[in-house]
Amino acid sequence: QVKLVESGGGSVQAGGSLELSCVVSRSICSQCSVAWFRQAPGKEREAVAMIAGFTTTMYADSVKGRFTISKDKTTNIVSLQMNSVDAGDTGRYYCAAARSYVLPGLSALSERLYTYWGQGTQVTVSS
């Protein structure tokens, strides 16, 4: 059974840090791409970052230099380290997995490539 479970959300002050985790079930191939998306109230869901395999990453322009996505080979946990957060980072964060290795490129952060989704974890940034 394919399963993704997010955790680590919560409230954080602007300028602070938060780390999200996504436990990815072993039924998803180790090289399959995993991404983080987020959705703010009243807005469309948007991509934040993706990792293909264990080292190839891509980021949305809005989080480059502030967020880091990583994947632990042993635990199969995909983490999103969020630093220097601001109000624009508020939203529900979802972990999603593709059925294959997605080559980095313009479409790598497209929702349509990701088949499996978690329930999400809420992040609220306060000023």
Side-chain angles (χ1 to χ4, degrees):
Q1 182 183 0
V2 176
K3 199 172 181 182
L4 297 97
V5 181
E6 304 97 333
S7 63
S11 296
V12 59
Q13 286 197 327
S17 298
L18 202 63
E19 185 176 32
L20 306 183
S21 296
C22 174
V23 180
V24 180
S25 62
R26 297 286 180 181
S27 54
I28 294 175
C29 73
S30 62
Q31 294 297 310
C32 289
S33 295
V34 178
W36 284 95
F37 291 80
R38 67 186 180 189
Q39 187 167 24
K43 294 189 177 181
E44 292 188 355
R45 190 158 56 188
E46 63 176 359
V48 175
M50 68 82 80
I51 185 164
F54 294 97
T55 58
T56 302
T57 59
M58 273 192 70
Y59 297 91
D61 288 342
S62 59
V63 306
K64 276 181 186 175
R66 301 188 299 122
F67 290 12
T68 302
I69 188 170
S70 61
K71 185 176 181 181
D72 187 293
K73 291 183 180 181
T74 303
T75 62
N76 224 37
I77 291 176
V78 176
S79 299
L80 183 70
Q81 177 65 43
M82 307 166 58
N83 297 328
S84 302
V85 298
D86 58 39
D89 297 318
T90 292
R92 191 162 186 85
Y93 283 70
Y94 298 89
C95 178
R99 288 183 172 176
S100 63
Y101 182 102
V102 178
L103 290 171
L106 288 177
S107 63
L109 296 178
S110 172
E111 271 193 47
R112 62 181 179 84
L113 295 180
Y114 297 88
T115 304
Y116 308 105
W117 293 78
Q119 294 299 307
T121 186
Q122 180 67 34
V123 172
T124 303
V125 180
S126 58
S127 56

